[in-house]
Amino acid sequence: MCGIMGYTGKADATGRLLAGLRALEYRGYDSAGVAVMDAENRVRIVKTKGRLRALEDRLEKCPVHGHCGIGHTRWATHGAPSDANAHPHGTDRLYVVHNGIIENDRELRAELGARGYAFQSQTDTEAAACLLDSLYAGMEDPLAALRAAVARLRGSYALGVIFLDHPEEIYAVREGNPLIVALGEDGGMIASDIPAVLRFARDCYVLEDGEIARVRADGAEFFDRDGRPVCKRPERIEWSTEAAERGGFAHFMLKEIHEEPLAVRQTLGRYVKDGLPDLRGAFDGECERLTMVACGTAMHAALVGKWLMEWLVRIPVEVCIASEFRYNRPVLSPNQRVVAISQSGETADTLAAVRLAKSLGARTVGVVNVPGSSVAREVDQALITCAGPEISVASTKAYTVQLMMMYLTAVQLGLARGALSRERARQIVAALTALPAAIETAIAQSERIQRMAACFDDAENCFFIGRGLDYPGAMEGSLKLKEITYIHSESYAAGELKHGAISLITRGMPVVALSTQEELKEKMRSNMREVASRGARVLLLATPQTAELAGDAEEAFILPDTDALLTPATAAVAMQLLAYYAAVRRGCDVDKPRNLAKSVTVE
Ligand code: F6R
């Protein structure tokens, strides 16, 4: 949420900031701005409400050039999207861009207001900028002022700062929100996330909480909160440059759906050895129970994992929405694992759940897509998935590889506990290895899904229903559809409908029935008929084994044949495409759905 970019060096700072912000726009897109030091070391601020495009338009009309600057793309928390609330914020001494929330901003505003600061915006960021300014006025030492500011600020934040009397330098500090420093051939950079710097640098330093960085064109220095120098080792970025670009696809979401076979192959390549899972010891030793913590789509992957592990391994699994974990007063034991699932590894609630689990003595495992992210660094053992950068706000390929990790975990635990034979374990892993081809087949048949998508053209409400293993799948399909089409969508366990929600069925309302489990076919048929007889348009996702249900549906898509256990993955791809095409038909901005942002770094 909110993207920060900073650059100092030989290239044109404005161009570099815009390039970085373009790659970060998935983090927020309600306003954007830059502060650039020009050739005479005067700072020029250009900022505006709206997408990055609006900022680019302004900069085209009034070009600003320089060698050092900071930029921001915003997802509003304090103060509605407006020109005034857009970042950077600052004074005549310094400018600040910020990701996160300053919790004591009211107190700071009152204090600083009394000392003569007049605020131009409603943002918490401006309180931080004025606080820093007041401290800098007395010290004239950027590092000392930043350290003093960190001691006063409460909340979670990442800040990028330029001081007007240090025109070649960028300062950065983080407390709870991600920030990296990257050094390229033509200069130094700070950014909220790796995609912003992929085209310009391969070595990056991940800031730890409380650390301050001073970045120059030719290097960076790091200091802890007491001002002591910190020696940091760079992490090598392996992601390809193309991975963070649209590459001819109309949207990142569509591109990333097409990348799913590769993401699955790469993830299995990393965690399968000699036909069996190799999860790098993450579940070695006693493991009597699992608690999974995650949000949104990642939580749906956890629900599929729960089903698999309880069926295949007979091990109890609890799934907690990460934001609720602390309110449940979790009962954890030393012989269990807490598994955090997160694409970004920066979701504030998931990170807080990991910290709580650790403080309660639990061993933690992270299934995380972004290497070097906070969750990846804080868990006892990180299992990094190999989806590459996911730019689309709606998660697609990251979900599929999270599912892969659920299968591999189930098989590994099943073997360890004697619940699965080696033969069955090998069979499941072999089926997983065949999955990329099945996903390719599903994608190749997307014309049929496009036909189904037309049924949502005039829809205001819809349901997704499923039983057993299909129920978490239905939840994910429903989330995907609602977040990018804005159709009100709910998911139900198919058998639960008649206990209340069936009263909401109206004539013409689409109901997506997910039926991939042969033994549940007849019960699903009854549920499909129940809604059809009340006027619903039934759209079926089935397998060759349940295809006969198509007679009870207006439209049907038959998923490629796989082991019945693996249908959550193929069904997910079909439902992602369904949501995608429905959103495109309705003219929605697929990659930037309203009110949302990727990487939810506020609680
Ligand atoms: C939905 C979606 C979100 C994320 C959720 C968790 O398409 O992307 O629901 O799954 O915000 O994000 P991560 O996985 O980064 O922790």
Side-chain angles (χ1 to χ4, degrees), residues 423-479:
E423 195 194 343
R424 179 65 180 134
R426 281 189 188 284
Q427 216 178 37
I428 297 172
V429 175
L432 287 173
T433 316
L435 200 57
I439 295 176
E440 274 154 11
T441 309
I443 294 174
Q445 294 168 355
S446 59
E447 248 175 53
R448 301 207 59 168
I449 300 180
Q450 292 188 42
R451 242 182 36 213
M452 205 181 251
C455 300
F456 292 88
D457 283 358
D458 302 314
E460 286 175 11
N461 301 290
C462 77
F463 282 172
F464 281 69
I465 58 173
R467 284 176 178 263
L469 189 53
D470 289 331
Y471 177 39
M475 293 168 85
E476 174 56 12
S478 172
L479 175 62

Side-chain angles (χ1 to χ4, degrees), residues 119-426:
F119 291 93
Q120 317 293 321
S121 76
Q122 287 109 41
T123 63
D124 51 343
T125 309
E126 199 181 1
C130 293
L131 171 70
L132 187 58
D133 182 88
S134 70
L135 295 163
Y136 190 58
M139 298 172 172
E140 297 193 2
D141 173 356
L143 287 172
L146 273 164
R147 278 206 314 278
V150 167
R152 288 285 324 271
L153 294 173
R154 283 206 310 274
S156 71
Y157 51 84
L159 302 176
V161 188
I162 50 173
F163 293 86
L164 274 57
D165 52 2
H166 290 258
E168 314 280 324
E169 296 170 347
I170 304 172
Y171 289 80
V173 59
R174 83 163 251 175
E175 191 71 62
N177 282 49
L179 205 58
I180 58 167
V181 172
L183 299 177
E185 288 194 349
D186 64 1
M189 284 156 278
I190 63 164
S192 296
D193 203 353
I194 297 168
V197 299
L198 260 185
R199 279 173 53 205
F200 314 109
R202 285 284 143 184
D203 285 334
C204 82
Y205 300 83
V206 180
L207 278 196
E208 301 286 344
D209 282 349
E211 280 181 356
I212 299 174
R214 173 164 52 205
V215 184
R216 298 195 173 106
D218 56 357
E221 298 156 279
F222 303 93
F223 305 89
D224 68 12
R225 50 177 102 236
D226 298 319
R228 288 184 296 252
V230 176
C231 181
K232 289 177 87 70
R233 281 158 57 115
E235 296 197 17
R236 189 86 189 143
I237 307 171
E238 304 291 353
W239 289 349
S240 72
T241 312
E242 299 76 42
E245 288 167 6
R246 251 191 304 127
F249 284 88
H251 297 96
F252 274 110
M253 182 175 178
L254 189 61
K255 173 180 180 253
E256 290 168 3
I257 293 172
H258 280 79
E259 286 172 346
E260 290 187 46
L262 178 65
V264 170
R265 277 190 194 104
Q266 287 178 339
T267 302
L268 296 177
R270 178 178 283 202
Y271 294 110
V272 172
K273 213 166 140 202
D274 301 328
L276 289 174
D278 174 10
L279 296 180
R280 319 277 165 96
F283 296 94
D284 285 0
E286 231 181 330
C287 180
E288 292 301 324
R289 220 179 109 207
L290 294 178
T291 297
M292 306 226 222
V293 289
C295 302
T297 287
M299 198 267 295
H300 297 151
L303 288 172
V304 173
K306 172 183 166 71
W307 193 98
L308 293 171
M309 287 176 228
E310 293 188 343
W311 267 76
L312 293 176
V313 191
R314 309 297 301 138
I315 186 173
V317 180
E318 186 190 11
V319 174
C320 294
I321 296 173
S323 58
E324 289 291 311
F325 184 60
R326 74 191 78 170
Y327 311 125
N328 297 349
R329 302 186 68 198
V331 182
L332 302 175
S333 59
N335 60 353
Q336 74 162 97
R337 297 292 184 288
V338 172
V339 181
I341 308 179
S342 175
Q343 186 286 126
S344 61
E346 298 295 349
T347 300
D349 290 317
T350 308
L351 187 57
V354 167
R355 288 178 178 156
L356 176 59
K358 286 181 80 171
S359 73
L360 295 172
R363 280 179 63 189
T364 52
V365 175
V367 173
V368 182
N369 193 48
V370 179
S373 59
S374 301
V375 173
R377 284 179 299 125
E378 294 214 15
V379 288
D380 295 311
Q381 171 114 29
L383 298 171
I384 304 294
T385 52
C386 308
E390 191 179 65
I391 309 292
S392 158
V393 168
S395 185
T396 56
K397 59 180 180 171
Y399 175 69
T400 316
V401 296
Q402 286 161 356
L403 292 182
M404 294 307 105
M405 298 310 286
M406 296 296 100
Y407 287 104
L408 294 178
T409 305
V411 172
Q412 174 126 344
L413 287 172
L415 278 172
R417 294 167 63 89
L420 276 185
S421 67
R422 266 182 109 69
E423 195 194 343
R424 179 65 180 134
R426 281 189 188 284

